[in-house]
Amino acid sequence: MPWAGAAEFKVDLIQLDPWAKPNPDAALRTKEPLIGIIVDLLHEFERRSGHTTRQSLTPYARVERDLQQGDIDFTIMAWSDTRSSYAKRGTALVALEFGVMARQGISIKRYEDLKNIVTAAPRGLKVDPRFDSDSSMPKELVRDYTQAIRMAVADRKAKAVAGGLASLNHLIQQFGLAGEFGDVLVLNTSYLTVAFSKQSKQLAAEAQVNAVFKAMVDDGTAKRIFERWMFPPKN
């Protein structure tokens, strides 16, 4: 049932497939310019609450800045405690594993093995506190998962990719590259979470926003949206 006093919230959509991306179908682009997990979660939020969202497709690194400066009200992203100084952790929607996937023939059985190879990861992405802050870890920071995967497959410098393992596996399967990757090292488990900027002018509505998303978790809607995009049926 919609809440009284409908509002508009400014929301960044992280530009990572399948979380949010431009609609590839030109015929539908005018009506539905963006598609993905976060887009569908926000559509359901709007339907249930009567609120609206002003959505901006945004590179991962800039989402952090927008949260810090209060240029957006909230976003939906994998939570990291490093954001606690400028964002409030809200409803947890689904669990997410983060780690590294290596090219076939590259052994990564323990954390120290990662120091023997270069790992590609999207710029600004929080993978694991130790991995993120380790200055001795060879990394190649790139625009997004697609660039990271293609760099590793092309045998250019990077021999592995880091990030959300479900997202990486989704894209690797989509590109038909499953045979190119082997060992997987899980580094961290986080949650896809509502992150509300502490500088938002609508901070008073935070509890209400979280309550709507909590209802979506409780009735299984959030998980169904996630799985529909992340694990689409094979043709």
Side-chain angles (χ1 to χ4, degrees):
M1 192 175 168
W3 298 78
E8 180 181 72
F9 296 94
K10 293 180 288 185
V11 184
D12 275 354
L13 310 183
I14 296 171
Q15 190 171 0
L16 289 173
D17 188 4
W19 300 101
K21 62 181 179 179
N23 194 334
D25 190 331
L28 299 176
R29 202 170 295 147
T30 300
K31 182 179 179 182
E32 193 175 14
L34 303 173
I35 60 172
I37 295 170
I38 299 175
V39 177
D40 283 359
L41 288 170
L42 290 173
H43 285 168
E44 183 65 13
F45 167 78
E46 292 177 334
R47 187 188 72 78
R48 294 185 183 215
S49 67
H51 298 314
T52 57
T53 57
R54 192 193 313 167
Q55 302 172 17
S56 300
L57 193 62
T58 309
Y60 200 105
R62 207 179 86 207
V63 175
E64 301 279 2
R65 186 201 68 185
D66 290 350
L67 273 175
Q68 289 174 343
Q69 297 182 351
D71 290 339
I72 58 173
D73 297 302
F74 69 89
T75 190
I76 297 174
M77 66 196 316
W79 179 257
S80 169
D81 287 339
T82 58
R83 300 190 184 96
S84 59
S85 63
Y86 55 84
K88 300 185 72 174
R89 176 175 178 165
T91 298
L93 298 164
V94 292
L96 301 171
E97 285 189 331
F98 283 77
V100 177
M101 300 179 71
R103 285 290 308 275
Q104 283 285 2
I106 303 295
S107 178
I108 51 167
K109 305 300 184 187
R110 56 199 184 102
Y111 181 82
E112 287 71 22
D113 293 336
L114 299 177
K115 297 186 178 182
N116 300 322
I117 59 173
V118 174
T119 300
R123 187 173 287 103
L125 183 70
K126 302 294 189 292
V127 176
D128 172 77
R130 180 169 57 160
F131 177 87
D132 298 338
S133 62
D134 191 343
S135 59
S136 68
M137 183 66 63
K139 301 170 196 167
E140 185 74 18
L141 300 180
V142 296
R143 183 182 64 252
D144 55 25
Y145 284 141
T146 298
Q147 187 178 4
I149 292 167
R150 296 199 184 285
M151 177 182 289
V153 170
D155 206 22
R156 292 197 199 111
K157 196 172 181 180
K159 305 299 183 188
V161 293
L165 295 177
S167 296
L168 288 169
N169 188 61
H170 169 87
L171 288 170
I172 288 167
Q173 295 289 338
Q174 188 179 82
F175 298 152
L177 297 172
E180 299 288 337
F181 289 87
D183 282 1
V184 175
L185 183 65
V186 178
L187 297 176
N188 188 28
T189 299
S190 184
Y191 290 86
L192 182 68
T193 304
V194 178
F196 219 101
S197 171
K198 290 185 176 181
Q199 300 300 318
S200 167
K201 294 180 174 61
Q202 305 214 62
L203 198 55
E206 180 203 5
Q208 186 185 110
V209 169
N210 280 312
V212 177
F213 284 109
K214 178 66 163 54
M216 292 163 58
V217 173
D218 291 345
D219 67 15
T221 300
K223 184 178 181 181
R224 285 193 295 273
I225 289 172
F226 172 78
E227 291 182 345
R228 184 170 69 241
W229 280 96
M230 197 62 76
F231 312 113
K234 295 179 180 179
N235 296 328

